[in-house]
Amino acid sequence: MPELPEVENSIRDLKPLLVGRRFEGVDVRWPRLLSGMRAEDFTARLLGRQIINADRRGKHLLFALDDGQTLMVHLRMTGQLRVAPPDEPPTVYDHLIFALSDGMELRYQDPRKFGRFLLTTDPQQALAKLGPEPLSESFTPVVLFEKIQGRRAAIKGLLLNQSVVAGLGNIYADEALFQAGIHPQTPGEALTLADSSRLHSAIRQTLATAIREGGSTLGRSGIANYRRPNGVAGHYQERHRVYGRAGKPCLVCGGPIHRVQVAQRSTHFCPHCQPDGRAIQSD
Ligand SMILES: [Zn+2]
């Protein structure tokens, strides 16, 4: 959290509020977010620069600047970017505050402080290990099949591996595997081209629907609450069919949804709708 649909909604909301604006002030309140760069250097390289484009790759937000630099942001677990008027008091979780040339402020809020900012002149190199964009034409059933062929790791873990496909996290990996009827502990090498094909369409459908619904907002802990930059919550959580539903009846067969650990991540699935003889049941 946040995953591709949440980042996509963030970038769509932020783009009209940021493109054309210049950075007129940078207040770094938690320097560790800067990927090792000193706050003074980060500030010096940003001051006066104009944002000329806002884009997404995987779960990264990319802000292209007028001097060829790109400001890359990864929100990790609890990061959020929003635009606020300067007279609105910042919260204790606002760790980076950028004054913009139109008088507004871009604020980075992150209760757990796991997010990362990177200034680079070569974003392609920084993103070189990232797999295909799941909603692009470069992501095909054959590409997915080739990426997981010969891999013994569980398909759930492979989907979380950003070099197989970019942008999936715990929620949408579980939802896509359910829709494809594939057990999350199935080794990658056990999936056929037909399985890959089903999984490929399930990933695309799940992500496209989640983007349309504004992503998922989880009410649970308060700190994992994704909000769009305008403060609006997503609605896709109302459509989760397995994620966060352990013990509840499967919406297809009525049997209980199970939760197990796969690749150190809490994984939700229906053993009836997602059967796999080779998987080790550890519930
Ligand atoms: Zn079921």
Side-chain angles (χ1 to χ4, degrees):
M1 245 346 249
E3 306 179 26
L4 187 152
E6 291 79 35
V7 177
E8 178 66 25
N9 274 285
S10 291
I11 209 77
R12 286 182 186 181
D13 290 347
L14 287 169
K15 192 171 183 170
L17 302 175
L18 295 182
V19 170
R21 277 59 157 191
R22 288 181 186 277
F23 290 109
E24 291 194 340
V26 182
D27 181 2
V28 180
R29 302 179 170 199
W30 191 257
R32 277 191 228 166
L33 296 169
L34 306 181
S35 311
M37 187 180 279
R38 295 192 318 151
E40 302 91 295
D41 298 336
F42 181 77
T43 302
R45 281 172 61 173
L46 274 184
L47 277 182
R49 298 277 58 88
Q50 186 180 36
I51 302 166
I52 57 169
N53 198 12
D55 210 346
R56 180 194 57 76
R57 176 80 172 91
K59 301 182 207 171
H60 301 263
L61 295 97
L62 308 175
F63 301 100
L65 308 179
D66 60 349
D67 65 346
Q69 298 188 95
T70 297
L71 177 63
M72 290 176 54
V73 185
H74 198 297
L75 304 171
R76 296 281 183 88
M77 297 297 287
T78 55
Q80 282 178 45
L81 280 169
R82 61 194 192 88
V83 173
D87 57 1
E88 184 185 309
T91 72
V92 292
Y93 301 126
D94 286 326
H95 303 306
L96 278 173
I97 299 178
F98 305 90
L100 301 170
S101 51
D102 63 355
M104 297 295 275
E105 289 183 351
L106 173 65
R107 295 180 183 174
Y108 178 70
Q109 188 183 81
D110 191 349
R112 296 179 71 172
K113 302 178 190 164
F114 290 149
R116 284 298 173 264
F117 282 67
L118 178 71
L119 258 179
T120 177
T121 51
D122 192 356
Q124 296 312 317
Q125 195 249 330
L127 299 168
K129 288 181 182 162
L130 218 50
E133 273 300 312
L135 296 173
S136 75
E137 284 178 10
S138 63
F139 183 60
T140 65
V142 172
V143 164
L144 177 61
F145 181 65
E146 286 171 351
K147 292 256 184 198
I148 60 181
Q149 240 189 344
R151 308 281 292 265
R152 287 187 187 168
I155 185 62
K156 167 71 186 279
L158 292 171
L159 291 182
L160 296 180
N161 180 335
Q162 301 296 298
S163 70
V164 171
V165 56
L168 283 179
N170 216 27
I171 296 176
Y172 300 107
D174 281 3
E175 293 296 323
L177 285 167
F178 175 78
Q179 189 175 325
I182 294 170
H183 193 290
Q185 286 169 314
T186 311
E189 62 186 6
L191 294 180
T192 63
L193 183 55
D195 294 329
S196 294
S197 203
R198 264 192 350 271
L199 183 54
H200 170 267
S201 9
I203 290 169
R204 281 162 82 116
Q205 273 180 35
T206 302
L207 293 175
T209 309
I211 289 172
R212 270 205 312 278
E213 298 286 325
S216 300
T217 300
L218 305 179
R220 221 176 16 167
S221 62
I223 59 165
N225 257 343
Y226 158 79
R227 296 265 160 180
R228 291 171 60 169
N230 54 11
V232 171
H235 290 289
Y236 192 71
Q237 67 280 3
E238 291 152 22
R239 292 186 182 228
H240 292 175
R241 293 194 287 174
V242 284
Y243 184 85
R245 299 193 66 248
K248 294 188 177 155
C250 171
L251 300 174
V252 173
C253 73
I257 299 297
H258 283 212
R259 181 170 60 204
V260 294
Q261 290 289 315
V262 183
Q264 288 97 49
R265 300 297 298 277
S266 182
T267 296
H268 311 74
F269 71 104
C270 171
H272 181 258
C273 297
Q274 296 165 268
D276 191 296
R278 283 155 297 218
I280 305 148
Q281 300 283 330
S282 58
D283 197 10

